Amino acid sequence: MENTGAPRYRPLAVAALLLLGACRHPLTILGEGDITSASGDRDCLLEQYQAADPACTDNSVRDDYVETYFAVPRPGWHFAAWGNYCPGVQPADQCRFEIDGESAAQWDLDSAPPLQAYFRRDVSSSHSAVLMGHSFFRPFAQQLPIDAVAAGFSGHQQQFFSASGAGGAPIALWENDGPVRDSIMAALDAGGMTLFGMTYYPDSFNHALQGYINWIDYALRNNSDFAVFIGLPWGQQPALWDARTYKRDWVRFEEQTIHPLIDALRQRYPQLEFYCIPYGMAGVELKRRFEAGQLTDVASLIGPPGGALFVDSNGHAGDLLVRAGSLIWLRAIYAVDPASFDYASPYTLDLGALANRVMNRHDHRYDAR
């Protein structure tokens, strides 16, 4: 690899990622919490961040940049992850920078991403959910009540409705005047829903958006306080693409389609919470490891559920992918740490660590609050 002169990784340091100039390094807070500093000179409290205080927006850097930041949640919240830096460091709520002034001065300041501290609201009550989707969504919806109860959310209740392929998209279910649509409407009419989960199927942006709008408008007739998530699966026909292309297209799709969809829905319904569950990245990452010869828990890319990553050429999930994606669902919905979730895993691969890797690297602006 070409030596660019960038500072190198050090334990609990993120120098190699900083790309920082010698003037400022913004601090960003998502959720409710504070960023404090070991020096006491770089604290960014929640109220300061909300007021666009220069302590957060500028965070001036002079000469050597040596600092340890601490994420301190407010009551009713907990620290979830750092964004842009410190993935997987321990202790998880600390992020250290250790860069000499000469190295820092080599980098363009304007290209430096902020340090993000993402805080998640504590989840103390079980959901009453209405979920609907297609066959890439179905196994995770079916596993959710099992995992929720095992994680201590014994009151979890849900109704799940599905149709195959494009028929499971929100707009298709809305336009299909039949028993599945009637059943979904009846579930929403009953009221008391706290979680509304839907899938995505490739479509024009406006057509897809209208499907979510139709269902949310209908749900609001008898439900007022609920969260909405869009579950994003992996791409179809996984054998047709190499791992790099497969990942590139998935990331591009999430950033250019799913995030704008959520932005549009947040703007239209400011009283509701919207987020994305990026469980499709589990399929992307497992495919990458399989192609690299790093996945010993399956013998083939396509084959029987217990021995392959996908069960058919279209890309339906094998058992390993279902288990990995289900842990991502559990963390996204109930804020359960997959690494500490007590379940009997038959796999060599640490799926809890994989799920945390996916969620920690996800754009936290599109996580649940």
Side-chain angles (χ1 to χ4, degrees):
M1 179 179 296
E2 181 182 358
N3 184 356
T4 63
R8 297 180 179 274
Y9 254 115
R10 298 170 186 170
L12 293 181
V14 290
L17 295 179
L18 185 57
L19 305 183
L20 182 66
C23 291
R24 64 188 182 93
H25 187 209
L27 305 176
T28 300
I29 296 171
L30 302 172
E32 294 191 10
D34 304 313
I35 299 176
T36 63
S37 58
S39 69
D41 297 329
R42 300 182 182 279
D43 293 355
C44 172
L45 304 183
L46 177 62
E47 292 79 11
Q48 291 176 294
Y49 175 71
Q50 293 171 336
D53 190 297
C56 306
T57 59
D58 291 348
N59 186 27
S60 298
V61 175
R62 295 289 185 270
D63 301 320
D64 295 348
Y65 185 26
V66 180
E67 186 65 270
T68 300
Y69 293 100
F70 304 90
V72 184
R74 293 292 177 94
W77 294 71
H78 64 273
F79 175 66
W82 296 106
N84 295 323
Y85 309 95
C86 295
V89 300
Q90 294 297 326
D93 62 351
Q94 299 181 22
C95 186
R96 179 167 176 78
F97 292 85
E98 189 175 334
I99 304 173
D100 63 79
E102 181 179 354
S103 297
Q106 299 176 17
W107 299 100
D108 177 10
L109 174 65
D110 292 335
S111 68
L115 172 64
Q116 298 176 334
Y118 168 53
F119 300 94
R120 173 80 186 269
R121 184 182 289 108
D122 293 340
V123 182
S124 58
S125 58
S126 302
H127 279 298
S128 175
V130 174
L131 310 175
M132 59 188 195
H134 46 47
S135 55
F136 279 34
F137 184 96
R138 182 184 301 117
F140 307 96
Q142 292 173 332
Q143 183 65 34
L144 177 60
I146 301 172
D147 287 347
V149 171
F153 297 91
S154 58
H156 178 92
Q157 299 178 6
Q158 69 177 50
Q159 298 183 68
F160 171 56
F161 308 93
S162 68
S164 298
I171 190 63
L173 290 168
W174 179 265
E175 293 176 344
N176 185 354
D177 187 10
V180 176
R181 172 181 162 168
D182 292 343
S183 296
I184 298 172
M185 288 181 169
L188 297 174
D189 288 343
M193 179 183 67
T194 62
L195 181 66
F196 196 5
M198 292 174 275
T199 192
Y200 184 84
Y201 192 90
D203 197 352
S204 71
F205 183 88
N206 289 334
H207 195 230
L209 176 61
Q210 191 60 52
Y212 298 109
I213 290 173
N214 291 348
W215 281 115
I216 293 168
D217 283 347
Y218 190 90
L220 284 169
R221 296 181 183 183
N222 292 289
N223 305 269
S224 59
D225 186 15
F226 57 92
V228 181
F229 76 78
I230 299 176
L232 179 59
W234 54 97
Q236 299 181 61
Q237 304 291 328
L240 296 182
W241 319 101
D242 64 85
R244 176 177 294 183
T245 303
Y246 198 58
K247 179 177 181 179
R248 181 202 65 195
D249 290 350
W250 190 92
V251 171
R252 181 181 299 167
F253 187 79
E254 181 190 27
E255 294 176 349
Q256 297 181 4
T257 300
I258 301 301
H259 291 174
L261 277 172
I262 292 176
D263 289 340
L265 292 169
R266 285 173 172 173
Q267 184 175 9
R268 186 181 181 95
Y269 306 98
Q271 77 277 27
L272 300 179
E273 178 183 5
F274 293 89
Y275 61 95
C276 170
I277 300 183
Y279 70 102
M281 181 51 76
V284 172
E285 176 63 16
L286 290 172
K287 174 177 163 62
R288 181 193 70 79
R289 296 190 186 199
F290 179 82
E291 290 188 2
Q294 301 170 348
L295 192 59
T296 61
D297 289 304
V298 294
S300 60
L301 185 69
I302 298 173
L309 189 54
F310 306 101
V311 300
D312 55 30
S313 60
N314 195 44
H316 288 93
D319 293 345
L320 176 67
L321 178 50
V322 170
R323 184 68 270 183
S326 296
L327 292 175
I328 294 172
W329 273 52
L330 188 62
R331 172 168 162 176
I333 294 172
Y334 276 116
V336 173
D337 180 0
S340 62
F341 180 50
D342 186 15
Y343 74 100
S345 175
Y347 302 112
T348 301
L349 179 63
D350 187 342
L351 296 184
L354 174 68
N356 275 332
R357 174 186 173 90
V358 168
M359 290 300 294
N360 288 345
R361 297 189 175 208
H362 184 237
D363 188 335
H364 298 305
R365 293 175 299 173
Y366 298 94
D367 288 344
R369 291 290 183 267

